[in-house]
């Protein structure tokens, strides 16, 4: 009996540890755990970027795709969420169905470094600085001039190819633009 109880206890400990690990150590990026941006910050970000129904709003590393979903539902934009983690992608898929925004939403379960993002007019990122810097060459190569980039929490390193247009320190939102030169 004691042996069975110890085994059950160990099983529960291992199971809980795996859940904790999954939250802080997602498959592709050990640097990008599933922290989620709050809805207030999402709305402020989209307002700061002046998102309209003509925009295509990408979230690179979209988690449950709360950003593109709000962009689609409240701002009438087209939303694209790219997420590498299967469970987060599935969560997003379910949310889109519940939210009835699927006609304006595209969800991709893939590595955003391999995605074509050239039709974006607005790109949202909530990624740690190391990943932001790694992402820069792709942004410069694929995005059109004038595309707005919203970074939540973390700033990009200063760069002449990326113009810091506005910042909302209180909400930790940084709005950039691919300059027109
Ligand atoms: C800090 S979370 C932000 C989630 C969401 N954007 C939000 O603000 O609520 C970063 C997300 O990026 C995802 N991610 C990290 N590297 C990725 C990659 N190369 N391709 C796709 N998703 C990635 C992680 O799995 C994680 O869900």
């Amino acid at each position: 009996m004691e042996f069975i109880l110890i085994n059950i206890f160990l099983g529960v400990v291992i199971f809980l540890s795996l859940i904790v690990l999954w939250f802080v150590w997602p498959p592709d990026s050990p640097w990008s755990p599933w922290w989620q941006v709050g809805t207030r910050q999402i709305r402020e970000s989209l307002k700061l970027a002046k998102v309209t129904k003509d925009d295509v709003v990408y979230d690179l590393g979209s988690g449950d795709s709360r950003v593109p979903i709000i962009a689609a539902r409240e701002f009438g934009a087209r939303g694209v969420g790219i997420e590498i983690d299967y469970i987060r992608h599935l969560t997003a898929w379910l949310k889109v169905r519940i939210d009835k925004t699927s006609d304006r939403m595209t969800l991709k379960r893939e590595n955003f470094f391999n995605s074509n993002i050239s039709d974006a007019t607005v790109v949202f990122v909530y990624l740690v600085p190391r990943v932001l810097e790694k992402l820069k060459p792709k942004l410069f190569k694929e995005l059109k001039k004038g595309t707005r980039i919203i970074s939540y929490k973390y700033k990009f390193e200063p760069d002449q190819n990326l113009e810091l247009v506005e910042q909302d320190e209180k909400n930790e939102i940084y709005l950039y633009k691919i300059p027109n030169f």
Side-chain angles (χ1 to χ4, degrees):
M1 184 63 183
E2 203 175 295
F3 177 74
I4 294 174
L5 283 177
I6 289 172
N7 273 331
I8 291 175
F9 175 74
L10 281 178
V12 170
V13 169
I14 290 170
F15 179 70
L16 291 178
S17 308
L18 284 175
I19 289 183
V20 170
L21 200 62
W22 177 71
F23 267 95
V24 297
W25 206 288
D28 183 63
S29 172
W31 324 108
S32 301
W34 197 5
W35 299 322
Q36 305 186 70
V37 59
T39 39
R40 180 167 57 89
Q41 283 82 1
I42 298 174
R43 290 192 181 106
E44 291 304 322
S45 299
L46 299 173
K47 274 189 224 160
L48 201 68
K50 299 188 174 64
V51 169
T52 70
K53 63 173 180 38
D54 299 325
D55 280 308
V56 182
V57 179
Y58 272 65
D59 184 356
L60 305 183
S62 49
D64 64 0
S65 281
R66 52 185 53 207
V67 176
I69 287 175
I70 291 184
R73 191 206 313 134
E74 297 180 20
F75 294 75
R78 279 214 344 93
V80 183
I82 305 177
E83 172 57 50
I84 199 160
D85 182 278
Y86 283 95
I87 296 182
R88 296 168 200 189
H89 173 72
L90 178 66
T91 314
W93 187 87
L94 289 171
K95 279 186 73 174
V96 165
R97 256 85 213 149
I98 292 166
D99 226 71
K100 298 193 172 64
T101 41
S102 34
D103 59 324
R104 292 193 305 286
M105 281 290 303
T106 306
L107 296 175
K108 297 181 181 176
R109 213 283 322 148
E110 60 192 31
N111 183 336
F112 54 64
F113 283 106
N114 302 329
S115 310
N116 181 343
I117 58 167
S118 55
D119 65 332
T121 59
V122 177
V123 173
F124 179 92
V125 280
Y126 176 12
L127 298 165
V128 291
R130 194 193 67 89
V131 182
L132 289 181
E133 290 313 300
K134 200 174 154 204
L135 190 59
K136 261 184 186 173
K138 179 176 177 68
L139 299 178
F140 298 155
K141 187 166 167 236
E142 292 185 27
L143 296 180
K144 296 177 285 287
K145 292 178 174 44
T147 303
R148 293 96 87 202
I149 299 166
I150 305 157
S151 184
Y152 173 63
K153 189 92 95 189
Y154 302 108
K155 276 184 177 174
F156 284 92
E157 291 287 322
D159 194 308
Q160 59 167 3
N161 295 311
L162 200 55
E163 187 185 334
L164 177 63
V165 182
E166 254 184 279
Q167 49 187 330
D168 172 349
E169 293 283 3
K170 185 170 148 248
N171 289 304
E172 299 178 281
I173 301 164
Y174 306 99
L175 176 66
Y176 295 85
K177 200 172 86 172
I178 304 284
N180 291 315
F181 55 76

